[in-house]
Amino acid sequence: EAQVTQNPRYLITVTGKKLTVTCSQNMNHEYMSWYRQDPGLGLRQIYYSMNVEVTDKGDVPEGYKVSRKEKRNFPLILESPSPNQTSLYFCASALLSGYEQYFGPGTRLTVT
Amino acid sequence: DAKTTQPPSMDCAEGRAANLPCNHSTISGNEYVYWYRQIHSQGPQYIIHGLKNNETNEMASLIITEDRKSSTLILPHATLRDTAVYYCIVRVAYNNNDMRFGAGTRLTVKP
């Protein structure tokens, strides 16, 4: 089944403790991206990747890192999480930039 | 500035057609209209997109006015599972980084 998977789905952590949210797609898509969704602010893009080893900032990249070492994986790294990063995170992929995006199920992160 | 305007909420009776409007009066010639929906807190799901012609797929129909300043997403026979937030997005075809999700329309399908 074609899909985008994220792990973990739920995470409660403390301020400053590094964490990684994994994202994987099995559709051989070149384009991948990360969004966060907050009440009243909608979905906002954090980072995106046009292809392996090619990443760039979205609208709200501060406090996040990403890497794209292989086509199927696009992990989101929070080096020192803070409470304002408490949010619902979605990973998405597309065949190419401009094609429709397929979204993962989401990761609900709480930073205390 | 928001590129689209949608009503915040709509109701629809189960089995009837749901018509969701979207205004995009500042749309440029190279911008497409995309529709996604989000059921509860699941990941958004692509529905349909179009440039200037009406489009139909297995999920919905998209009607774009001749001047392209507005469009309507039609779910022909709404079911309870169509209850979701529907997002109308205007963007250029080659750039997913230009996708801006606004507040959308919360559609509630009632039995």
Side-chain angles (χ1 to χ4, degrees):
Chain A
E1 180 189 355
Q3 60 183 350
V4 178
T5 57
Q6 297 179 227
N7 282 292
R9 295 288 314 280
Y10 303 89
L11 179 60
I12 300 174
T13 189
V14 296
T15 299
K17 185 177 181 181
K18 180 180 179 180
L19 67 92
T20 298
V21 183
T22 65
C23 173
S24 183
Q25 51 92 4
N26 62 0
M27 296 170 279
N28 203 36
H29 285 173
E30 291 194 359
Y31 180 91
M32 297 186 74
S33 63
W34 276 102
Y35 294 83
R36 61 178 288 174
Q37 185 172 31
D38 303 289
L41 296 176
L43 279 102
R44 295 177 292 168
Q45 191 178 52
I46 304 170
Y47 267 95
Y48 65 94
S49 171
M50 302 286 272
N51 211 329
V52 176
E53 301 291 2
V54 181
T55 63
D56 211 340
K57 297 177 181 179
D59 294 328
V60 288
E62 294 77 21
Y64 305 95
K65 287 176 58 177
V66 293
S67 69
R68 187 93 183 273
K69 293 185 169 57
E70 39 186 354
K71 186 179 275 193
R72 65 182 295 127
N73 296 323
F74 190 44
L76 179 69
I77 303 155
L78 285 72
E79 295 270 3
S80 183
S82 63
N84 65 11
Q85 293 178 297
T86 292
S87 188
L88 179 58
Y89 291 86
F90 291 103
C91 179
S93 74
L95 181 63
L96 297 167
S97 180
Y99 283 67
E100 60 269 23
Q101 294 192 72
Y102 294 80
F103 284 79
T107 295
R108 189 169 293 280
L109 172 65
T110 301
V111 183
T112 62
Chain B
D1 291 337
K3 290 185 176 181
T4 63
T5 304
Q6 299 178 252
S9 64
M10 294 181 64
D11 290 343
C12 177
E14 188 178 20
R16 304 297 293 268
N19 297 280
L20 293 94
C22 180
N23 285 318
H24 32 79
S25 58
T26 60
I27 192 170
S28 300
N30 63 346
E31 289 182 317
Y32 284 64
V33 180
Y34 280 74
W35 284 83
Y36 282 74
R37 72 179 182 184
Q38 186 174 23
I39 297 172
H40 193 44
S41 293
Q42 297 177 23
Q45 176 189 23
Y46 165 80
I47 301 173
I48 198 167
H49 74 280
L51 181 62
K52 56 182 178 181
N53 298 320
N54 298 338
E55 302 288 345
T56 296
N57 63 19
E58 66 278 3
M59 288 184 68
S61 295
L62 174 61
I63 309 297
I64 302 174
T65 58
E66 193 166 342
D67 63 6
R68 302 213 318 126
K69 293 184 177 183
S70 67
S71 60
T72 301
L73 178 74
I74 301 171
L75 308 178
H77 306 287
T79 71
L80 299 178
R81 289 178 296 178
D82 291 321
T83 292
V85 177
Y86 287 77
Y87 299 100
C88 171
I89 299 162
V90 164
R91 67 167 179 87
V92 294
Y94 54 83
N95 187 2
N96 271 335
N97 311 317
D98 190 32
M99 244 172 67
R100 297 292 183 271
F101 287 82
T105 296
R106 182 171 297 277
L107 173 70
T108 302
V109 180
K110 298 184 174 182

